[in-house]
């Protein structure tokens, strides 16, 4: 008996058009979805609802994808690395940038860090100067005359005379 396929290339179940719900047929696209969702840390209940199936159906048809839950994230990260490397080999500039970020994240993971080390601590940084508005800056400039001009020298002598008395 020849197998019949629908317009999307999926096999048509034998009881199609009959009474009851047709049996779920696992395909490669759904297997890839399950693998991705397992790698992202989704629960079985959440994955099953995303595929519009029950949890027992999920366990029945996708057992091989679910049993590698502990290494699924590593496999996904490795697959992303391979795709990035393909882009780097093709000369894709954005892939090169992303691959550099990928390497930095991998290095952080290798050394047990969860984030980039701080460049300088708060104690080492000098306190930022207090911002001064235009009016306050003008008043401060008026209090300190420019000694390079004759008027500035005269004002400086006058201020010294006032402060000395």
């Amino acid at each position: 008996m020849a197998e019949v396929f629908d317009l999307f290339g999926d096999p048509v179940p034998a009881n199609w058009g009959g009474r009851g719900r047709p049996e779920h047929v696992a395909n490669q696209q759904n297997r890839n979805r399950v693998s991705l969702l397992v790698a992202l840390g989704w629960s079985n209940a959440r994955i099953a609802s995303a595929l519009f199936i029950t949890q027992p159906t999920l366990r029945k048809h996708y057992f091989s994808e679910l049993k590698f839950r502990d290494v699924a994230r590593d496999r996904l990260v490795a697959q992303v690395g391979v795709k990035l490397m393909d882009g780097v080999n093709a000369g894709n500039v954005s892939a090169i940038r992303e691959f550099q970020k990928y390497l930095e994240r991998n290095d952080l993971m290798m050394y047990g860090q969860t984030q980039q080390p701080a460049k300088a601590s708060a104690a080492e940084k000098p306190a930022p100067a207090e911002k001064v508005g235009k009016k306050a800056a003008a008043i401060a400039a008026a209090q300190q005359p420019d000694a390079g001009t004759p008027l500035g020298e005269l004002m400086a002598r006058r201020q010294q005379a006032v402060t000395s008395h």
Side-chain angles (χ1 to χ4, degrees), residues 35-140:
S35 296
L36 174 66
L37 297 177
V38 165
L40 294 176
W42 285 29
S43 66
N44 285 358
R46 192 171 174 194
I47 295 170
S49 66
L51 294 176
F52 302 107
I53 57 175
T54 62
Q55 288 187 52
T57 302
L58 177 72
R59 288 190 298 270
K60 175 182 176 184
H61 292 286
Y62 303 102
F63 174 77
S64 60
E65 286 80 12
L66 296 173
K67 72 180 179 181
F68 295 111
R69 188 174 291 273
D70 54 339
V71 295
R73 182 66 177 218
D74 294 335
R75 288 181 178 181
L76 178 66
V77 170
Q79 192 174 19
V80 168
V82 168
K83 292 292 184 185
L84 284 173
M85 190 62 188
D86 290 343
V88 168
N89 290 336
N92 187 336
V93 176
S94 61
I96 293 171
R97 285 191 205 118
E98 287 299 317
F99 191 71
Q100 287 172 339
K101 291 177 189 175
Y102 176 83
L103 289 177
E104 289 172 6
R105 285 191 307 264
N106 187 59
D107 291 345
L108 290 175
M109 180 191 66
M110 280 180 45
Y111 299 117
Q113 298 174 347
T114 56
Q115 58 186 0
Q116 297 263 351
K119 300 212 186 280
S121 66
E124 295 173 8
K125 287 185 180 179
E130 188 174 326
K131 293 187 177 181
V132 180
K134 289 181 180 180
K135 290 180 182 178
I139 291 171

Side-chain angles (χ1 to χ4, degrees), residues 135-152:
K135 290 180 182 178
I139 291 171
Q143 299 297 324
Q144 298 174 355
D146 182 20
T149 63
L151 180 61

